[in-house]
């Protein structure tokens, strides 16, 4: 949905973005800072008022001519390799190039060297705030204060090292994932090249009858297909890869991703008859840099609710962009592979032009707990349960599944995996070596009854209450092998995705009615989110310290809250845009602004046949569901242009059966009157007659029922 207010604000602020007022604290006599671009007019963020008791400083009078921009002959920075040796020796800049000035500009600790200074008014008092023993501010202290301010400015705003006069430009267009949770897809592009970032699916709302999944509208991709070099995949969640096969039926490009993401896309390709398209796969190694068109891209390991998730560092002609993709900061992940904070910090210290970050949990204060806490909960339940344990979670959350399996083995239970996607994902992750558990611990569904109840763990799908999933069928006695018993304990280790609360509640009703115990949100650590809370979002903002910020992956309220968090972490409010799907922003070292809106939207998919459902079909279904239908059948004689025989009117979804007779009679009477009054020319044209009937019935139904049903007149010329 287009947000016009936002657009106008953005346009109005366009000139302000990136411009700053001069820093009043800077001493003009200092040696130019080697890290600062002399052409940049940007300076520090507004500071909190300082609390100190020193007398206020006199405004300094500076009659010197304005400083010339520094002639900088340093070679352009090379950023090809991930690990560039940085020197910090006296006389060198931080890229290891000799300083132009022969005087050392930093002392042996790497701090700016002392400089000559106008004498300070040490000990003096220039009015107000008089004390008996005023603090003496020596010249040296003043120099040190200045030096520390300068050092802090460099440290906190490393993006100022980016040449703000650089001509590089990059455009970013989200085509899904903003204004919604799910369906993530975006495009990065320059004049000559582009790549697609994730190709995810989302779920329909309850008004989209008969629609199983939604995929993003690919129209814009068709218009720029000549310059698209690749599809970049951040991780294997459905909201990031689910629409890849649908895109491949229209357009094919090389796909870059980590092994698990590509393995899961491969499974999809097999289902969609695209087996040979695995030839488009490019397996990436984290911490290596891939040159894709005008971009250089590095995948950085990230913790999330799926294995092998990554944040991306994207070097563009305008500057470096960090896209976190989906993340949480898990210091104790199950596989011990913590998030690659070092690379984020590395890029952050080099100067990042723009950060795009996950907004899903931006309303949650504090930290999201580690995945590991769920294992402890499982442990105590496995210990205390005499019957079978049935654990249901998202089939992609392999660490969750793995934790349950590990506990099962510890407590001498066999593992039975039930549900198509769960079976497939466990098989895939075992094949790739992510889940290393011996075959002897696994049993098939038909073998479950051979084991005592306290020796069985069933891992299954259906944590969202899906009626087709295994857990729902077990709870309603429809599963071929497993029926729930009162001694069973069901663990729903998930949260309902917005929109699924109702179906999950129905599932719980079925389970509890059968006398089975179910744990869902009653135990605090039954589930943890895969997305960062506010404190983790702040950590990301502080590590990356971007000039511009685009909150992504969320509805408007999520990104708006994330923007506030960013401002609290030092990002200038004017350097943030709240985007909607289809908005295109241009990012340059100087500005971030919205430039246009491109076509975006959703295509409806019927999962039974993996085919598209056209928009008008879904609209008709909505009308039928909300307002019902009226059918009018009439026979018109060709010879005398009059109605022959009786009209037939039928209606559904408008009036109850007992009231329908009068309603139908009234419509019939109305239509008969209408037809009798029509001119002979109109009676020759059956389309015209149908229109007249439709208008007449519509008026009557609106008047009597205040509804807008589907009206279908059918005319037979006899
Ligand atoms: Zn996601
Ligand atoms: Zn995800």
């Amino acid at each position: 949905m287009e947000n016009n207010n936002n657009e106008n604000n953005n346009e109005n602020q366009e000139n302000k973005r990136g411009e700053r007022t001069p820093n009043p604290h800077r001493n003009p006599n200092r040696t130019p800072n080697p890290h600062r671009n002399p052409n940049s007019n940007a300076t520090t963020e507004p500071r909190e008022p300082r609390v100190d008791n020193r007398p206020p400083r006199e405004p300094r009078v500076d009659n010197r001519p304005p400083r010339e921009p520094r002639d900088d002959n340093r070679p352009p920075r090379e950023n090809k390799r991930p690990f560039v040796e940085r020197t910090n020796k006296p006389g060198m800049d931080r890229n290891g190039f000799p300083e132009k000035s022969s005087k050392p500009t930093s002392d042996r600790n790497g701090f700016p060297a002392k400089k000559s200074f106008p004498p300070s008014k040490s000990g003096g008092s220039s009015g107000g705030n008089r004390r008996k023993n005023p603090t003496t501010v020596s010249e040296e202290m003043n120099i040190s204060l200045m030096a520390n301010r300068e050092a802090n400015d460099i440290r906190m705003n490393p993006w100022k090292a980016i040449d703000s006069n650089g001509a590089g430009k990059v455009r970013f267009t989200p085509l899904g994932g903003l204004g919604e949770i799910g369906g993530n897809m975006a495009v990065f592009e320059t004049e000559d090249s582009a790549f697609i970032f994730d190709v995810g699916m989302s779920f329909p709302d309850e008004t989209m009858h008969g629609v199983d999944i939604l995929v993003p509208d690919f129209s814009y991709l068709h218009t720029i297909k000549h310059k698209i070099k690749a599809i970049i995949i951040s991780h294997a969640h459905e909201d990031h890869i689910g629409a890849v096969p649908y895109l491949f039926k229209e357009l094919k490009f090389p796909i870059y991703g980590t092994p698990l993401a590509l393995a899961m896309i491969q499974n999809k390709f097999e289902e969609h008859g695209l087996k040979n398209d695995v030839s488009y796969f490019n397996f990436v190694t984290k911490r290596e840099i891939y040159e894709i068109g005008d971009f250089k891209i590095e995948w950085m390991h990230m913790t999330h609710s799926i294995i092998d998730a990554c944040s991306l560092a994207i070097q563009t002609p305008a500057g470096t962009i960090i896209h976190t993709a989906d993340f949480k900061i898990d210091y104790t992940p199950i596989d011990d592979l913590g998030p690659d904070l070092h690379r984020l910090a590395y890029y952050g210290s080099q100067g990042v032009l723009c950060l795009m970050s996950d907004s899903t949990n931006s309303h949650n204060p504090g930290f999201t707990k580690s995945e590991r806490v769920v294992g402890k909960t499982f442990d105590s339940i496995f210990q205390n349960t005499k019957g079978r344990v049935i654990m249901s979670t998202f089939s992609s959350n392999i660490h969750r599944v793995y934790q349950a399996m590990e506990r099962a083995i510890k407590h001498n239970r066999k593992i039975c995996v039930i549900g198509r996607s769960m079976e497939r994902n466990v098989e895939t992750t075992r094949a790739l070596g992510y889940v290393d558990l011996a075959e002897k611990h696994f049993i098939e569904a038909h073998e479950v009854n051979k084991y005592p109840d306290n020796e069985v763990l069933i891992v299954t799908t259906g944590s969202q209450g899906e009626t087709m999933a295994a857990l729902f069928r077990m709870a309603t006695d429809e599963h071929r092998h497993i029926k729930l018993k009162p001694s069973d304990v069901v663990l729903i280790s998930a949260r309902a995705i917005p929109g699924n609360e109702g179906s999950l509640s129905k599932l719980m009703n079925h389970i509890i009615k059968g006398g089975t115990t179910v744990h869902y949100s009653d135990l605090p650590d039954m589930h943890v989110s895969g997305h960062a809370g506010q404190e983790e979002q702040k950590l990301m903002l502080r590590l990356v310290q971007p000039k511009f910020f685009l909150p992504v992956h969320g509805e408007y309220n999520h990104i708006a809250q994330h923007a506030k968090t960013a401002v609290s972490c030092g990002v200038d409010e004017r350097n943030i845009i709240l985007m909607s799907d289809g908005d295109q922003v241009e990012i340059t070292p100087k500005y971030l602004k919205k430039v246009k809106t491109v076509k975006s939207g959703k295509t409806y998919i019927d999962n039974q046949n993996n085919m598209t459902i056209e928009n008008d079909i879904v609209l008709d279904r909505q009308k039928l569901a909300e307002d019902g239908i009226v059918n009018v059948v009439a026979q018109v004689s060709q010879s005398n242009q009059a109605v022959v025989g009786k009209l037939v009117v039928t209606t559904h979804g408008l009036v109850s059966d007992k009231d329908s007779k009068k309603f139908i009679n009234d419509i019939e009477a109305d239509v008969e009157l209408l037809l009798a009054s029509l001119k002979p020319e109109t009676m020759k044209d059956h389309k015209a007659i149908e229109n007249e009937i439709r208008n007449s019935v519509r008026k009557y139904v609106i008047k009597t029922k205040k509804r807008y049903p589907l009206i279908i007149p059918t005319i037979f010329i006899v």
Side-chain angles (χ1 to χ4, degrees), residues 275-564:
K275 227 173 172 167
N276 295 333
D277 287 345
V278 297
S279 60
Y280 286 87
F281 285 0
N282 294 274
F283 293 90
V284 301
T285 306
K286 289 161 204 168
R287 287 201 168 202
E288 271 179 23
I289 291 179
Y290 295 84
E291 233 170 278
I292 291 166
D294 290 337
F295 303 92
K296 288 176 188 157
I297 305 180
E298 177 184 341
W299 277 252
M300 299 176 284
H301 186 86
M302 192 36 72
T303 41
H304 182 40
S305 45
I306 193 165
I307 294 168
D308 234 1
C310 289
S311 294
L312 282 294
I314 303 158
Q315 294 177 51
T316 78
T320 301
I321 295 174
I322 300 287
H323 196 307
T324 66
D326 294 9
F327 80 102
K328 71 192 258 184
I329 303 294
D330 193 340
Y331 299 109
T332 56
I334 300 308
D335 55 11
D336 217 20
L337 296 173
D340 200 345
L341 302 177
H342 303 87
R343 289 306 285 162
L344 288 164
Y346 163 78
Y347 281 108
S349 68
Q350 296 298 294
V352 169
L353 186 59
C354 185
L355 170 67
M356 297 156 187
S357 185
D358 176 2
S359 308
T360 314
N361 278 353
S362 55
H363 291 294
N364 294 11
F367 284 91
T368 301
K369 284 187 190 176
S370 170
E371 175 63 30
R372 218 169 266 271
V373 301
V374 181
K376 291 204 182 98
T377 309
F378 285 172
D379 220 19
S380 62
I381 292 170
F382 279 61
Q383 177 98 46
N384 299 323
T385 301
K386 303 277 176 282
R388 300 181 298 189
V389 176
I390 294 151
M391 195 283 280
S392 184
T393 187
F394 301 105
S395 64
S396 58
N397 195 339
I398 290 302
H399 278 158
R400 185 72 47 83
V401 171
Y402 178 78
Q403 291 203 86
M405 289 176 170
E406 247 194 337
R407 263 56 185 197
I409 293 168
K410 181 178 160 195
H411 296 284
N412 195 31
R413 289 173 186 262
K414 294 285 178 201
I415 303 157
C416 175
V417 180
I418 298 180
R420 201 168 62 106
S421 61
M422 188 68 82
E423 290 168 42
R424 201 185 51 198
N425 288 349
V426 169
E427 192 276 323
T428 302
T429 46
R430 286 184 75 200
L432 296 179
Y434 290 112
V435 173
D436 185 17
L437 296 171
E439 188 59 44
K440 64 176 182 190
H441 300 297
F442 292 87
I443 56 172
E444 297 293 324
H446 64 85
E447 298 173 301
V448 165
N449 290 332
K450 291 188 207 160
Y451 291 83
D453 286 355
N454 65 351
E455 288 180 20
V456 173
L457 164 71
I458 295 170
V459 176
T460 188
T461 51
S463 64
Q464 298 298 298
E466 307 95 314
T467 51
M468 298 301 287
L471 183 57
F472 194 91
R473 286 187 286 127
M474 292 177 200
T476 52
D477 278 0
E478 285 165 31
H479 196 271
R480 208 149 74 95
H481 298 291
I482 314 290
K483 290 187 196 337
L484 292 189
K485 305 181 197 177
S487 57
D488 291 341
V489 171
V490 175
L491 311 178
I492 296 176
S493 184
R495 275 289 173 281
I497 294 171
N500 291 349
E501 295 91 348
S503 50
L504 183 53
S505 180
K506 251 179 228 158
L507 168 68
M508 306 244 304
N509 292 339
H510 281 294
I511 298 172
I512 294 166
K513 243 184 223 172
T516 305
T517 305
V518 54
H519 293 299
Y520 170 53
S521 50
D522 55 321
L523 299 179
D525 293 337
M526 176 58 71
H527 170 73
V528 293
S529 171
H531 296 274
Q534 284 174 5
E535 294 305 316
E536 295 150 282
Q537 291 176 340
K538 288 178 192 171
L539 174 60
M540 184 62 78
L541 283 153
R542 285 300 188 187
L543 279 172
V544 174
Q545 306 185 103
K547 177 172 188 182
F548 299 120
F549 179 60
L550 292 172
V552 294
H553 204 285
E555 294 179 29
Y556 197 83
N557 70 83
H558 301 113
I559 62 171
Q561 177 55 49
H562 201 178
K564 283 187 192 162

Side-chain angles (χ1 to χ4, degrees), residues 179-250:
E180 60 177 338
I181 301 272
N184 298 284
M185 182 169 90
V187 178
F188 287 80
E189 62 187 293
T190 61
E191 206 66 41
D192 306 313
S193 66
F195 68 85
I196 304 166
F197 187 87
D198 287 339
V199 188
M201 50 143 273
S202 51
F203 291 105
D205 63 36
E206 62 284 353
T207 67
M208 301 171 190
H209 305 280
V211 177
D212 296 305
I213 63 167
L214 306 174
V215 305
D217 187 317
F218 299 133
S219 309
Y220 181 64
L221 302 182
H222 282 276
T223 68
I224 58 160
K225 63 180 178 198
H226 57 281
K227 64 175 179 178
I228 297 176
K229 307 289 182 213
I231 299 167
I232 300 302
I233 300 293
S234 64
H235 67 293
H237 270 150
E238 287 295 328
D239 61 323
H240 298 260
I241 65 166
V244 173
Y246 298 96
L247 175 60
F248 262 61
K249 286 171 191 172
E250 296 181 26

